Amino acid sequence: MRLALPLPLHQQFDYALPAGAAPPLPGARVKVRFGRQQLVGICTDPAPADPHERLRPLTAVIDATPALDPEQLALGHWLSEYYHHPLGEVLSLLLPPAARRGASLAPATVTGYRLLGSPGDLTRAPKQAALAARLVAGPAPRATLLTEGHSAATIRALSQKGHLETIELDPGPAPTAVATQAPLTPRPEQAEAIEAICDSFGRFAPFLLEGITGSGKTEVYLQCMARVLMRGEQVLVLVPEIALTPQTRARFEARFGTAAALHSQVSDGERLDLWRGCRDGTVSVLIGTRSASLTPFARLGLIIVDEEHDGSYKQTEGLRYSARDLAVKRAADLRIPLVLGSATPALESIANARAGRYRHLILRERAGGAAEPQVRLLDIRGQSLEDGISMDLRRAIGAHLDAGAQVLVFLNRRGYAPSLICGACGHVATCAACDQPMTYHRQGQPSGDVRGQLRCHHCGARATTDGSCEACAAQALVPVGVGTQRSEEALKRWFPQVPCYRIDRDTARSKARLQAHFEAIASGAPALLIGTQILAKGHHFPNVTLVAMLGVDGGLAAADYRAPERTAQLIVQVAGRAGRAERPGEVWIQTLQPENPLLTGLLREGYPGFASRELERRREAGLPPAALMALLRADSPEATAPGAFLTRLRDGLRRAHAERGAGAAIELLGPVPAPMQRLGGRHRFQLLLLASERALLHRALRWVSRHGHDIRTPGHLRWSIDVDPLDCV
C-alpha cells in the first residue's frame, strides 16, 4: 500500500500489510518504521503492492475508520499541489498535534456510575442513600456527581458495597449557556447585506463585506450565523490575532450561548477535543486563528474571515498557505457562502470583486449614528519632541483626558528604544546573528538607568546590558528612538493620575493580564492606551475620543511594493478606534512628510480612492494582483551558497521553458540578497517568479520541485517555495 509520511520529501512510500491484517482505508493512520524512526503516516492507496517486490511491513494500523475523510484528503492534495509542499507534511498538519503522535480519534468518553439493584437500608449512611437516590433515574458522569456535592469518599463507599458499577459514558453535547443578548435592528445597509448572504445558503457564494470602522460588520456576521445555526449547520469564524479571540468569543457567546475558540495557546488535549467536536458536529461555532481553517466539520454552512486583509492569515514557515485563500477553496468545495469582512480590504479581494468573482457589499455608515473621526496631519518638522511626542499632541491628550475620555497612542514598535548607541565611540548594540540593531527593553529600573535587556526582534536573541559600552566600556549608552515602553513611561510621568495600559506582543503573552486590561478599558473611565497594531484589529473602545499615531513615516519609506497598502490599512484601522460612540473622535498623525501623496490622498479620498490608485500602479508595474507571483528563498551559513544555488535553479528553469517555447511567459528576477540579508546567522537570497497565467506559474514551480533537489548543495543549505508571498523580506 502507499503511504504519505511526515517528511520533507516530495514522494510517497510503499509498505506491506502484516500477514492476516485488513488493509486500512484511505485517510487512516498507520505506524511504520522509517530508518531508525517510528512515524505515523496516512494511507493514500490501500491497493496491495507488487507481490514480487520485497517491502517492509507496517508496524500497526491505528484507525479502523479514516482519520481524514474524503473532503480532508482532497483538501490535503490541493494544498500540496498548489503550494508545492510535500504531501506527507500537509496531511499531518490536517490532524491535531496529539493525533499526529497516534492519539485515539474515537469520540471521547467520561467515567460514570450505574446503580446495581436496590442498595437496601442506608438510613445510617444518609450521604450514600442520597447518591443512590440520585442514580435511580439513570447513570451519571463522575464529574457531574462531584459537582452536585456527592464526595469521592461516598462514591467509593457505595462502590465497595457492590451497589455501583463503573462505566464509560458518551459525554454528549456540552451544556449550552444561556444567550443574554438579543439581535439588534439592522440598518438598511446591514439588512441588505444579511439578506444577500442568507439567500445564498446551500451554494458557493463569496462576499466581500467592506464596511468603514464601526459600521456594524459584526452584527451582520451574527445575524447570518443565527440563521445558519437554525438550519442545524456549523459556522467557522477566522480572526487574525489571538488577542481578538476572547472579545469575539464573548460577543458570540452572549448571542448564541456557546462558541469554541482555537488558537496556539490551546493545549494539545483541548485541541484534540475541539477537532473531534467539529468533525462530529457537537461544536456549532468555532472561532479561530489561521490554523482553524484546516479543521474538519460535519455540517459546515458558513465561513467568515474577519479582517480578511490581515497578513497574519499567511503562514510564513513550513506549508506557506493563506488561511483566507484556503477559506475560499473550502467554501467552493462545500458549496457554501463565504464572507470576507474588512474596513480596508486587500487589493487582491477588491480586484476579485471588480472582476465579478466576489459580490461586493458595502457599509458606508457607522452604527448608532456615530460620526467618522476628524483626521489631521501634525507636521513635526523642526519641532523638538520629548520621548517621541510633540508638545501640541501632548496638550491634545491632556484635553481629552480632562474631558473624561480615553486616549489611544499608537506606535508600532515595542520595547523602550529601537537601538542603543554609545555616545563616546558611536558603537551600536547589534545582533551577532542578524547584523541588525537590537531593541532595548527596560526592566523596571529608574529613569536614566540604561541597564536592561537587548532583544533581537528578528531571530529572538537576547543579551543584557550593564550600562557600559561593549566596545569601549564607557558609561555613555543612549537609547535612540521610541518604543511602546518609552511612550508608556513618558505618559505616566505627564499624566500620573490616569491609568495607563500598554498592549503589545510583550504584554499579550499573559492572557489574564490582557483580559484585565480590556475589562478596565471597557469600564469607560479616563485612561491611556498605548500599543502596537494589536490595538488596530477589531476592538471596540466606545470612550476613545483621540487616537494619536506616532512613527508612521517608517511605513511610508519601506522598500516593499506592498508597503503603501499596509501603511494605508494600518492608518485607517487605527483611526477607526476613535469616536465609535456618541462622542466625536479625533485622529492626530505625527509626520515628517505632511505632503506625502499617500497620506494626503488617503485623507482626501479615503481607502477606496487609495485602493483604486494603488491597483492602477500595480497594473502598470506588472505586480500582483495584476500578475501572479512566487518567491524562491534559500539560506545558508555560507555567504555565497544561497545565491549560487538559486542561480543554477534560475538557469535550469530558463532552459526548460525555452525548450517549451514559453521562455517569455515567466519573468525571473534575481537571485538577489533578501532585504534582510542575514537572519539568525544564515545568509539569505531570493528569486522572484512573475507570470500572467496561473497554469504557467505552477508548471514552472513543478519543474523547480522536481529538479531543485537534483542540484548538489551543501548539507546546510535550505530552500523553499512561497506561492502568493505577502512579503519579500
Side-chain angles (χ1 to χ4, degrees), residues 490-568:
L491 291 165
K492 283 181 174 179
R493 187 170 67 249
W494 298 333
F495 307 104
Q497 75 285 4
V498 178
C500 198
Y501 305 105
R502 175 165 58 90
I503 299 175
D504 55 25
R505 192 178 300 175
D506 297 323
T507 61
R509 288 192 179 98
S510 169
K511 203 171 174 182
R513 183 180 180 186
L514 189 65
Q515 188 62 29
H517 281 353
F518 284 142
E519 289 174 0
I521 294 165
S523 71
L528 283 159
L529 289 60
I530 302 103
T532 57
Q533 59 183 324
I534 291 177
L535 283 177
K537 301 175 181 180
H539 294 290
H540 180 61
F541 303 131
N543 206 32
V544 169
T545 59
L546 173 64
V547 167
M549 299 189 68
L550 316 179
V552 299
D553 295 321
L556 301 175
D560 187 350
Y561 79 93
R562 290 186 182 271
E565 178 185 4
R566 290 195 186 109
T567 303

Side-chain angles (χ1 to χ4, degrees), residues 694-716:
R694 197 169 297 280
L696 293 174
L697 180 66
H698 284 285
R699 186 167 70 186
L701 294 176
R702 281 192 293 273
W703 185 94
V704 170
S705 293
R706 282 196 304 269
H707 298 284
H709 296 283
D710 296 336
I711 298 175
R712 294 188 63 182
T713 62
H716 45 65

Side-chain angles (χ1 to χ4, degrees), residues 250-269:
R251 295 187 71 176
F252 289 2
E253 285 181 338
R255 185 66 61 90
F256 305 121
T258 181
L262 179 62
H263 48 74
S264 61
Q265 293 182 355
V266 172
S267 70
D268 283 359

Side-chain angles (χ1 to χ4, degrees), residues 48-262:
D50 184 345
H52 301 293
E53 186 177 3
R54 295 187 63 184
L55 298 174
R56 175 177 285 182
L58 303 177
T59 303
V61 176
I62 299 174
D63 300 313
T65 57
L68 298 177
D69 63 22
E71 190 255 334
Q72 288 289 99
L73 272 179
L75 185 66
H77 280 278
W78 178 84
L79 283 165
S80 175
E81 292 167 7
Y82 187 85
Y83 291 105
H84 300 271
H85 196 79
L87 178 64
E89 291 191 337
V90 172
L91 294 181
S92 181
L93 284 173
L94 295 180
L95 295 168
R100 297 171 205 162
R101 299 189 294 268
S104 172
L105 294 177
T109 59
V110 297
T111 299
Y113 299 98
R114 175 192 293 131
L115 189 64
L116 295 176
S118 173
D121 185 13
L122 293 174
T123 53
R124 299 182 64 182
K127 292 182 179 179
Q128 295 176 35
L131 175 58
R134 164 66 176 83
L135 293 173
V136 166
R142 176 183 175 86
T144 300
L145 296 176
L146 294 174
T147 301
E148 292 173 353
H150 303 285
S151 70
T154 303
I155 295 172
R156 186 166 54 251
L158 204 57
S159 297
Q160 289 172 348
K161 292 179 179 178
H163 299 314
L164 293 187
E165 179 186 14
T166 302
I167 58 174
E168 294 297 316
L169 297 172
D170 183 344
T176 301
V178 177
T180 59
Q181 185 187 80
L184 305 177
T185 301
R187 301 187 322 279
E189 286 181 337
Q190 290 175 304
E192 182 181 344
I194 292 166
E195 291 308 314
I197 296 166
C198 294
D199 285 346
S200 68
F201 287 163
R203 60 184 173 86
F204 174 54
F207 295 90
L208 176 60
L209 179 63
E210 180 178 1
I212 62 171
T213 53
S215 59
K217 293 185 291 295
T218 303
E219 186 62 28
V220 173
Y221 301 158
L222 289 167
Q223 297 208 21
C224 292
M225 291 168 64
R227 298 202 199 177
V228 172
L229 298 177
M230 287 175 62
R231 292 163 55 94
E233 295 174 337
Q234 298 162 287
V235 180
L236 169 63
V237 182
L238 298 179
V239 294
E241 290 279 354
I242 291 174
L244 288 181
T245 52
Q247 173 181 283
T248 307
R249 183 178 184 179
R251 295 187 71 176
F252 289 2
E253 285 181 338
R255 185 66 61 90
F256 305 121
T258 181
L262 179 62

